[in-house]
Amino acid sequence: MLRTGEEYRDSIRDGRKVYVNGEKVEDVTTHPMFKPIVDQRAMIFDLAHQESTQPTMTYVDETSGELNAIGNRLPRTQEDWWDKRRAVDLTQREAGGVVTRVGDETIGEMWSLFDGQDVLNEVDPRFSDNIRRHIQQTITADTFHISANTDPKGDRSKAPQDQDPDMLLHVVRETDNGIVVRGAKYETAAAYANQAFTKPTIANWGNDKLSNYAVGFVANLSSPGLKFISRTGFAGRAPARDYPLSNRVDEVESLVIFDDVEIPWEDVLFYRHTRAAAFIRSTLHRYSAFPFVQRTQHLADLMIGAALWNIKQTGLEKQPAVQEKLAQLACYRENINAHLTASIAMAETSPGGLLMPNQSLLYTGRVTALSQLPAMMHIARELCGGQICITPDAASFEHPETKDWLEKYYNVNENWIAEDRRKLLAFARDLLNSDYAGHRLTFQLFAQSPPFAQLGAIYRNFDFEGPLDLVRKAADLSDRITADQDAAKIASRV
């Protein structure tokens, strides 16, 4: 059943071992660096209960008649994707910033395993049963489900067994109850989530010596032996009036230590199966790339809005040079929108019978959104102007000896008074020019996979046959040139 925000808070008050800034966190729901984002996550749960937002955030299960979160629903129709898109849009508007771990992105990575049940059945039919059960449990229990991907890696020129073996998470032994794993994973939101789909990093899974590293499972984040060493959060480091985004939507990443953690067999999704590991790495973002790209569109909207309001308050919106830069931002935003829309319109049936966004269009949209983001942030920064880096803080606007001077020089007219200008400039600074903004930019670049892997996904999913056939006919090439290609196709099917 749908959880409330308070039920979510109660679920993570479980004695987990969380450390940040050299201190042990007693309660992640109240700690100043975690409380703001925990409150945002709780808000998302509460949106499903509010009369005005419940229709967008939920759907009625046809079998049970229960209300469930739309983000967790298995996508089978185009309307499912439109519903999910509307729910993410609503969530981002209510958050007032960009929130990545809203739940829909990470559960999508489980759907790719749903598509790979035939691969899992090769090693053990129980694993296929486990994936179906966990997907259903996430739907019905309304679990805050996240994803753990990246290991510390160590010396990447060496195989794991040729250095400290714990650099990549691996199985150290089996028990009657399950497997015992050791290693570490970096993960956003792990310190305040319920469970994580934990999977292998990018590696040469064709090497049988790595089979103990070819493991995937759902980790209960309250399990004994887990430790969460979190990066310093941005929340609480400076006043919220000066850094509104840093203090509201900063999602804290953690290095999650698996110190001989036992994973029950019913939570194991694959183990000692290099083909399964390779499959999940190659299809991991088949679904989850959609909400990720959608959130980049929301970031584009924030940049356009911040830039345009800054232009309007100084009366520059009619200048052609300014309009040109705004048009560039609009093109960027609509390019993302077009890829998302087209990927739904040209969606494909997956091997498991789900409806997946058109893979070539979706992955191309992701690369377009991320590769152009630094340039678009620079344009937005130009349009906002230098005042985003030199405006005094809110306390100076209130101090009796400086207030009058700041009001004099920040008041534009009767519509744009000093306080509104200060708020707008503070927002733009945090969006484009703060340490949080730099963190956000790097996070977007690497959050799903490094750039070379994103381009690799396009290479694997683009239909090269069309251009090849076009040129073969236009150049009047003989059939002999396709002999090797046809042989390769036959070999790949054997």
Side-chain angles (χ1 to χ4, degrees), residues 273-311:
H273 192 0
T274 56
R275 185 181 169 204
F279 175 85
I280 188 58
R281 286 311 317 181
S282 64
T283 64
L284 185 60
H285 302 129
R286 171 178 287 173
Y287 303 97
S288 63
F290 188 95
F292 181 80
V293 175
Q294 185 181 353
R295 277 183 275 277
T296 311
Q297 177 184 309
H298 186 75
L299 181 57
D301 285 337
L302 291 176
M303 291 192 294
I304 291 171
L308 186 52
W309 276 121
N310 269 283
I311 290 163

Side-chain angles (χ1 to χ4, degrees), residues 122-254:
E122 291 181 9
V123 58
D124 193 326
R126 289 181 302 174
F127 297 159
S128 181
D129 293 338
N130 288 349
I131 181 64
R132 291 195 301 272
R133 187 181 66 256
H134 268 291
I135 288 175
Q136 187 60 29
Q137 285 179 350
T138 301
I139 292 171
T140 56
D142 203 14
T143 308
F144 183 18
H145 174 99
I146 61 169
S147 174
N149 295 313
T150 304
D151 305 77
K153 297 184 179 69
D155 187 342
R156 299 172 77 175
S157 69
K158 297 179 180 178
Q161 65 269 23
D162 295 332
Q163 55 180 313
D164 185 337
D166 297 343
M167 284 299 173
L168 293 183
L169 186 139
H170 62 113
V171 178
V172 292
R173 64 180 180 275
E174 295 183 14
T175 68
D176 291 339
N177 295 324
I179 57 176
V180 176
V181 298
R182 185 185 303 156
K185 291 282 185 181
Y186 288 103
E187 176 47 39
T188 302
Y192 46 93
N194 298 121
Q195 64 183 33
F197 174 26
T198 310
K199 66 196 75 67
T201 191
I202 298 172
N204 178 18
W205 300 117
N207 186 340
D208 289 339
K209 293 181 180 179
L210 300 181
S211 60
N212 282 333
Y213 296 87
V215 60
F217 54 86
V218 174
N220 182 333
L221 295 177
S222 64
S223 299
L226 285 179
K227 301 172 182 64
F228 307 84
I229 306 174
S230 304
R231 69 159 171 84
T232 298
F234 293 105
R237 288 163 57 177
R241 291 185 301 170
D242 297 314
Y243 294 91
L245 291 174
S246 302
N247 283 278
R248 185 167 64 241
V249 293
D250 175 36
E251 296 171 279
V252 182
E253 292 80 29
S254 298

Side-chain angles (χ1 to χ4, degrees), residues 407-483:
E407 285 189 356
K408 172 181 174 64
Y409 289 109
Y410 276 82
N411 279 338
V412 177
N413 51 45
E414 63 275 10
N415 296 321
W416 278 99
I417 61 173
E419 179 61 8
D420 279 332
R421 286 196 70 198
R422 184 202 65 76
K423 288 180 179 179
L424 178 60
L425 291 167
F427 181 89
R429 171 177 57 198
D430 211 8
L431 178 68
L432 301 168
N433 224 48
S434 65
D435 50 358
Y436 169 76
H439 167 84
R440 180 86 239 172
L441 178 60
T442 304
F443 180 88
Q444 288 293 105
L445 185 63
F446 290 99
Q448 288 214 323
S449 55
F452 79 89
Q454 295 178 27
L455 289 168
I458 293 175
Y459 180 82
R460 291 189 298 273
N461 286 276
F462 181 77
D463 181 10
F464 287 99
E465 292 299 318
L468 283 172
D469 188 58
L470 175 66
V471 172
R472 182 184 65 81
K473 292 178 179 178
D476 193 26
L477 302 177
S478 72
D479 292 339
R480 291 192 298 273
I481 66 169
T482 64

Side-chain angles (χ1 to χ4, degrees), residues 43 54 120 167 202 263 300 338:
M43 178 270 293
Q54 187 177 81
L120 301 180
M167 284 299 173
I202 298 172
I263 308 299

